[in-house]
Amino acid sequence: MVALHLDNPLVVPELAGEAKALLATFGVSDEALFDVLMGSHTPTGRLPFEMPSSMDAVRAQLEDVPHDSKDPLFPIGFGLTYAPGK
């Protein structure tokens, strides 16, 4: 599992392809992250932006048009929830 602190979109297709899981965090405290990883709390959430599939896709985006990445790795609103320990 890889935990990524996201304050903006990242280009991580190789990491996403190799990791068993990606956990996106948005300013979470170490204690809260630990609670989720240890199963005390169920992680929930959705991406507030899309994650581009490549730097070429980033270069092709228009600065003033949101969510226009071609074939994003993870689209806006992507997210999963799971029950810890299952």
Side-chain angles (χ1 to χ4, degrees), residues 31-45:
E31 294 80 14
L33 178 58
F34 184 76
D35 285 345
V36 167
L37 294 176
M38 293 295 105
S40 299
H41 296 283
T42 301
T44 60

Side-chain angles (χ1 to χ4, degrees), residues 13-26:
E14 294 85 5
L15 186 60
E18 293 294 323
K20 294 204 183 252
L22 292 178
L23 176 66
T25 67
F26 300 89

Side-chain angles (χ1 to χ4, degrees), residues 62-80:
L62 301 173
E63 286 186 32
D64 58 344
V65 178
H67 324 302
D68 71 331
S69 179
K70 182 179 179 187
D71 193 28
L73 183 63
F74 300 108
I76 187 169
F78 182 85
L80 301 175

